[in-house]
Amino acid sequence: MSLPSYDVPEPDHDFDADVADIDAERLSVLNALADRVAVVSNRRSMWADLGTRQVLMQGAQAAEVATQCTAMLVLSCLTVEAENRRSMWEDVGARESLFSGAKAADQETCKLALSAFANLAFESNRRPMWVDARTRSVLLDAAQATDYQVRRQALRAFANITEDKGSMQEIWADIATRSVLLCGAGAAEPGLREQALRSLANIAANEANDSPMWNDECTRAALISGATAVEENVREHAFRALVLMASVKANAEDMWADAEGTRAALLAGAAPAMAAGSRTHALGTLVLMCRYPKLVPQLAASGVRELFAAGRDSRQVGENVRQMINQVIDLLGEEPPAPECKQQ
């Protein structure tokens, strides 16, 4: 596996040839490991081998850019293997290596370290990663970086961590984390918006967050903007957050009252031309609004029954939402009669 080329720095006056030989040998070994880790079936046995771990930990702390970057590449690939993730997070040497890589001046090394953190934010690792102050600090710093890939990987790590149900309320309450997520949700780059909105949608799954999130002006603006984005991977997460927040009556009524913003986004998102994910969540939000009698006549007058009828008959829409539509569609009035066929 080839690495990007690097400018070779001029040696200083205390250049030690023996050290250079050691670095060259270490890089050669790491390059061999990089070739081996490219084969998916090798990754579990590589991490299980203590000698391989030692080489990687030493390489990750090396002063040479190419050496550290190659070690970080191998470590990042090892985190892709689900069976390695818990053990790698619990290994102090591996964590220290990733902390070192995440603070590296070289952007490629930094990106690989943060990619590893994002991969490690998996199942039982999520909660310990969130409560670890050092990890949180590294991710917060990286989420504000100028390099796109570094920032994206940090936001991806947060998006994975926010899937932990026990952490959702704490994450919303943490001002620093909320700030970087909202900043990412408002970024120009769709890749950043996707990960940030995924985090916001995840933490909206905690009912205690639904009202404070919707009542937060910046969060509301980020979700409405996301729901009207061109990119489906951005839109879908925004609509997912909205359907979760619409379970609160006051939120649903407020959403519908926002005629030019949220209401318009929901009606457009529920249209047959919309992609499956966004359409399913938009229809789901409108279904939830049917639980509130005050809104039913307004929904009917806005053509929601027709949107429901089209969604109910479309396999593009999620099965659970289609079943929900069947339960509420008659609240919006009777189905209009089929047009008569005029005989010639």
Side-chain angles (χ1 to χ4, degrees):
M1 183 177 292
S2 60
L3 285 168
S5 59
Y6 296 94
D7 293 329
V8 180
E10 291 292 328
D12 58 31
H13 296 298
D14 297 321
F15 179 75
D16 188 331
D18 291 335
V19 172
D21 289 342
I22 292 171
D23 285 334
E25 182 178 351
R26 181 183 294 157
L27 181 57
S28 177
V29 172
L30 286 167
N31 280 330
L33 290 175
D35 288 337
R36 190 157 181 249
V37 82
V39 180
V40 174
S41 59
N42 289 338
R43 292 172 182 172
R44 289 179 66 181
S45 60
M46 287 179 69
W47 175 248
D49 183 74
L50 296 181
T52 301
R53 289 193 199 184
Q54 184 178 11
V55 170
L56 292 174
M57 305 312 148
Q58 291 173 346
Q61 301 294 336
E64 301 296 325
V65 172
T67 301
Q68 187 183 33
C69 188
T70 308
M72 214 54 58
L73 171 67
V74 178
L75 284 168
S76 183
C77 288
L78 290 175
T79 63
V80 176
E81 171 56 55
E83 294 295 325
N84 290 342
R85 290 171 183 162
R86 181 171 180 177
S87 174
M88 291 187 74
W89 168 253
E90 293 175 348
D91 187 276
V92 175
R95 284 208 308 273
E96 288 299 320
S97 296
L98 296 180
F99 286 134
S100 178
K103 293 294 186 180
D106 176 64
Q107 296 301 296
E108 181 68 13
T109 302
C110 186
K111 180 199 78 174
L112 289 167
L114 289 159
S115 174
F117 274 118
N119 293 339
L120 289 176
F122 178 78
E123 295 184 348
S124 62
N125 287 346
R126 289 171 179 147
R127 177 65 182 169
M129 289 181 74
W130 167 249
V131 299
D132 183 73
R134 192 175 176 193
T135 302
R136 197 161 63 244
S137 176
V138 164
L139 295 179
L140 286 170
D141 286 346
Q144 300 171 77
T146 55
D147 183 87
Y148 166 76
Q149 287 295 346
V150 168
R151 193 176 172 195
R152 180 179 175 276
Q153 292 301 333
L155 288 170
R156 186 168 74 89
F158 276 123
N160 289 341
I161 289 170
T162 54
E163 293 188 28
D164 178 63
K165 293 180 180 180
S167 302
M168 293 172 180
Q169 200 169 349
E170 293 174 20
I171 293 170
W172 170 252
D174 187 80
I175 301 300
T177 305
R178 187 194 309 178
S179 177
V180 299
L181 294 180
L182 290 175
C183 190
E189 300 89 343
L192 302 182
R193 297 181 76 191
E194 174 190 6
Q195 299 303 330
L197 286 166
R198 183 158 75 94
S199 290
L200 293 172
N202 287 344
I203 60 180
N206 185 304
E207 292 181 1
N209 289 338
D210 288 342
S211 290
M213 288 182 73
W214 177 251
N215 290 323
D216 181 77
E217 185 177 345
C218 294
T219 303
R220 191 164 62 246
L223 295 178
I224 296 170
S225 176
T228 57
V230 174
E231 300 82 10
E232 167 62 9
N233 57 346
V234 174
R235 278 197 314 262
E236 181 177 3
H237 294 302
F239 280 119
R240 182 162 64 91
L242 290 173
V243 73
L244 291 165
M245 293 178 188
S247 61
V248 177
K249 180 182 177 182
N251 291 353
E253 292 177 346
D254 199 23
M255 289 178 187
W256 186 255
D258 181 24
E260 300 300 319
T262 319
R263 186 199 303 183
L266 288 170
L267 294 174
M274 190 61 71
S278 291
R279 187 182 181 197
T280 295
H281 294 314
L283 285 168
T285 307
L286 294 170
V287 166
L288 289 177
M289 289 179 173
C290 291
R291 299 191 303 180
Y292 311 120
K294 172 184 174 182
L295 299 182
V296 170
Q298 300 174 49
L299 291 163
S302 298
V304 172
R305 193 191 197 289
E306 290 74 15
L307 293 173
F308 281 176
R312 179 185 57 185
D313 298 334
S314 173
R315 292 190 177 182
Q316 180 195 45
V317 176
E319 176 63 25
N320 62 325
V321 171
R322 284 190 283 152
Q323 291 177 3
M324 290 166 65
I325 288 173
N326 275 327
Q327 295 169 10
V328 303
I329 191 168
D330 289 338
L331 296 174
L332 302 180
E334 296 181 359
E335 185 173 0
E340 294 182 6
C341 251
K342 292 185 180 180
Q343 294 185 353
Q344 299 294 328

